[in-house]
Amino acid sequence: MLRNWDSPAMAAASLAGLLAGEPSRLAVAETDTRGDVVRCISFGALERLVRRLTRAIRTACGPQPVQPLIALIASLSAESIAAILAIWRAGGVYMPLESTPLRRVLHLLSRTNPAVALCDTESFSRLAATLGPSHAIGAGQLHRPIPSLDVADGHYLGVISAISISAQKPGNGQVPIPPDVAYILFTSGSTGEPKGVLGTARGLLARLHWGWKAFPYDEHGPSRLMNGVGELCACKTALTFVDSLAEILAPLGRGVPVLVLSRELVRMRPLDMWRALQVHGVTRITMVPTALRMLLDGLVLGVDGQPASSTAPYHLPSLRVLSLSGEPLPLTLAHHAASLLPLAQVLNLYGCTEVSADVTCFCVGGRAEAEASVLGMQGGVWAEHTSRVAAATCPLGAPICGASIRLVASTPSGHESDVCLGQIKTIRPTDTADGQSAVGEIYVSGDVLAAGYLDEVNHPTTDPVSYTHLRAHETDS
């Protein structure tokens, strides 16, 4: 499959055409702050919105480079999902930005100078008011908002073209971008200037196809929203985080609908969120371990420290896959989740933005035979891994398809200068079948590797055949 994406254009086209559902079937459902479904968009309506946005982007861009940079300043919704696909169909590079703080948004816009910015209702009004009187827009033009299709609730995406604010001289054009880049995601900047990670279409497709093969969707899934005839995947991750890409594209690329959970529901009402997962029959969700622990603690303690009622939905009979990533996963938490979700596979995914989200996977609970086959483990090897209950954190498992990992082990003195090539061990997806595990610093190579950082495009530090240091601490494999 990867050989079909040797051309960047072919890989980008594969991303742009991911919608795979029948026109009449549900594609996107959205909840309110209490978890009730308030909007439903079919695959047909979503496809029409994608086409409309694609035409608007091309019109707004005008004569632009082959790969115009398109900023998306919006919260997670049916419109923003359509916008992502429309950006790729228009031949653009997708760059999501948070709408707040406004100073950071303006800084990143001035730094990248995108050809077009797509904004949701709130961001459109804020940027229109700010860019006008306070900055030199240059050739910028405020376009009429584009209403979404088949809904009458006033949702829209606004288009601001040719963004050029005071920090950039008008006419300078966007920053240079390599031809194989599909998206740019910025790091938090907590240790300095935010870095723009150049994600490739090939890397994202490798991540998606691994998930489709390792954990295929069940067309006879138990989702209540689908009347028990399919799966339903929760979407809750902000667009500026890399996990949102697989969270959105993996299900829609296989004709499976997504349930967009409101931000307030996720952040402020964990019990209502848990109930929404149960009521609507969600079959897959991705969380960080800290959020899972807070959610499970909330189920035990109830509201305001009072014990939860006997009807509290501890068990989610519809859940089939719980993916945990973004933080080290305590083994006790992993087994606790697995015990509450006996029908689900609990996955520990490890990676970062620079490697298309994930590079390793370890299955904690659920169907043992499936877990063993996915990780390439057999018999006693699986027993050895699952018996490591005394370990502080869950093992990272094995590399996913499209990723190759090398573990660099230090000498007994532990000094970084003591790391030498003779101590590198290459790990591939089948290597765990021999029952071996190792400890060391992780280096990643393969299709999942990003093209580099935005400010280093003229002298990139990474490429698919070299190994990039992922995390500078010792960790179990």
Side-chain angles (χ1 to χ4, degrees):
M1 185 67 71
L2 290 176
R3 286 194 295 269
N4 296 331
W5 307 327
D6 286 342
S7 164
M10 292 178 65
S14 297
L15 280 181
L18 274 180
L19 285 183
E22 297 177 5
S24 61
R25 287 178 61 85
L26 176 68
V28 182
E30 297 181 9
T31 74
D32 60 13
T33 57
R34 295 196 62 86
D36 297 325
V37 171
V38 293
R39 298 180 70 200
C40 290
I41 310 295
S42 67
F43 273 96
L46 187 62
E47 172 64 27
R48 291 191 292 273
L49 181 54
V50 170
R51 292 178 182 178
R52 190 172 182 179
L53 285 170
T54 302
R55 291 192 296 268
I57 291 171
R58 287 171 176 165
T59 300
C61 283
Q64 289 288 334
V66 178
Q67 279 188 298
L69 179 60
I70 313 297
L72 178 60
I73 311 172
S75 58
L76 183 59
S77 67
E79 286 78 18
S80 58
I81 291 173
I84 296 171
L85 296 170
I87 289 170
W88 288 329
R89 289 195 190 181
V93 175
Y94 162 56
M95 183 178 71
L97 300 175
E98 287 277 8
S99 59
T100 57
L102 186 59
R103 181 176 181 180
R104 173 184 167 94
V105 177
L106 295 176
H107 170 67
L108 294 178
L109 288 175
S110 68
R111 178 176 161 189
T112 57
N113 205 27
V116 168
L118 297 176
C119 311
D120 60 14
T121 309
E122 181 180 353
S123 301
F124 184 84
S125 301
R126 184 183 296 115
L127 278 177
T130 304
L131 287 175
S134 304
H135 298 82
I137 299 180
Q141 188 176 16
L142 196 61
H143 285 256
R144 188 176 178 179
I146 303 171
S148 64
L149 297 182
D150 292 355
V151 290
D153 49 11
H155 289 262
Y156 67 77
L157 287 174
V159 182
I160 302 177
S161 67
I163 287 189
S164 180
I165 57 181
S166 56
Q168 290 269 16
K169 294 181 180 179
N172 270 6
Q174 69 181 38
V175 292
I177 301 173
D180 58 339
V181 172
Y183 61 91
I184 298 176
L185 291 174
F186 283 92
T187 61
S188 64
S190 57
T191 58
E193 180 76 6
K195 290 187 175 183
V197 179
L198 305 175
T200 67
R202 184 182 178 91
L204 179 53
L205 286 168
R207 166 62 181 83
L208 293 176
H209 275 268
W210 166 78
W212 291 333
K213 182 178 180 180
F215 306 99
Y217 293 100
D218 181 5
E219 61 181 12
H220 304 294
S223 170
R224 291 184 179 86
L225 197 61
M226 298 299 295
N227 297 319
V229 291
E231 293 204 39
L232 178 66
C233 302
C235 280
K236 52 182 275 297
T237 305
L239 297 177
T240 50
F241 289 90
V242 68
D243 284 342
S244 65
L245 290 169
E247 200 174 62
I248 294 169
L249 300 174
L252 293 180
R254 284 297 181 265
V256 175
V258 296
L259 179 67
V260 176
L261 304 174
S262 75
R263 180 175 298 187
E264 293 79 6
L265 178 68
V266 173
R267 293 184 176 180
M268 307 300 295
R269 309 176 73 99
L271 293 180
D272 285 337
M273 187 190 81
W274 192 267
R275 292 189 184 98
L277 299 181
Q278 184 192 52
V279 168
H280 303 307
V282 168
T283 60
R284 303 187 185 214
I285 189 171
T286 299
M287 306 181 73
V288 296
T290 299
L292 176 64
R293 182 182 294 280
M294 292 177 62
L295 182 59
L296 296 181
D297 288 346
L299 290 173
V300 173
L301 296 176
V303 181
D304 297 328
Q306 298 300 317
S309 68
S310 59
T311 58
Y314 284 89
H315 303 286
L316 295 177
S318 63
L319 197 66
R320 293 296 178 265
V321 178
L322 170 61
S323 299
L324 299 167
S325 67
E327 301 169 352
L329 175 60
L331 199 57
T332 53
L333 176 62
H335 282 289
H336 182 43
S339 67
L340 293 179
L341 305 167
L343 299 179
Q345 293 175 311
V346 180
L347 311 180
N348 184 30
L349 299 176
Y350 178 76
C352 62
T353 306
E354 287 84 348
V355 291
S356 307
D358 304 308
V359 289
T360 67
C361 174
F362 181 80
C363 296
V364 179
R367 290 161 257 179
E369 292 183 1
E371 295 161 355
S373 64
V374 168
L375 295 180
M377 301 177 183
Q378 300 295 333
V381 178
W382 173 253
E384 174 190 345
H385 278 264
T386 56
S387 65
R388 296 167 63 183
V389 293
T393 58
C394 190
L396 300 185
I400 70 170
C401 177
S404 180
I405 289 179
R406 290 190 176 187
L407 295 175
V408 180
S410 301
T411 59
S413 63
H415 296 297
E416 184 176 352
S417 59
D418 292 330
V419 176
C420 65
L421 292 178
Q423 296 170 302
I424 291 180
K425 177 181 179 181
T426 302
I427 308 294
R428 294 185 175 86
T430 58
D431 287 352
T432 52
D434 61 6
Q436 298 298 315
S437 61
V439 175
E441 293 186 358
I442 293 179
Y443 287 70
V444 178
S445 180
D447 295 304
V448 298
L449 198 61
Y453 293 108
L454 185 64
D455 296 331
E456 301 170 352
V457 292
N458 294 323
H459 44 85
T461 58
T462 64
D463 63 74
V465 297
S466 67
Y467 281 82
T468 294
H469 189 217
L470 178 63
R471 193 66 65 86
H473 63 73
E474 289 187 350
T475 181
D476 291 339
S477 70

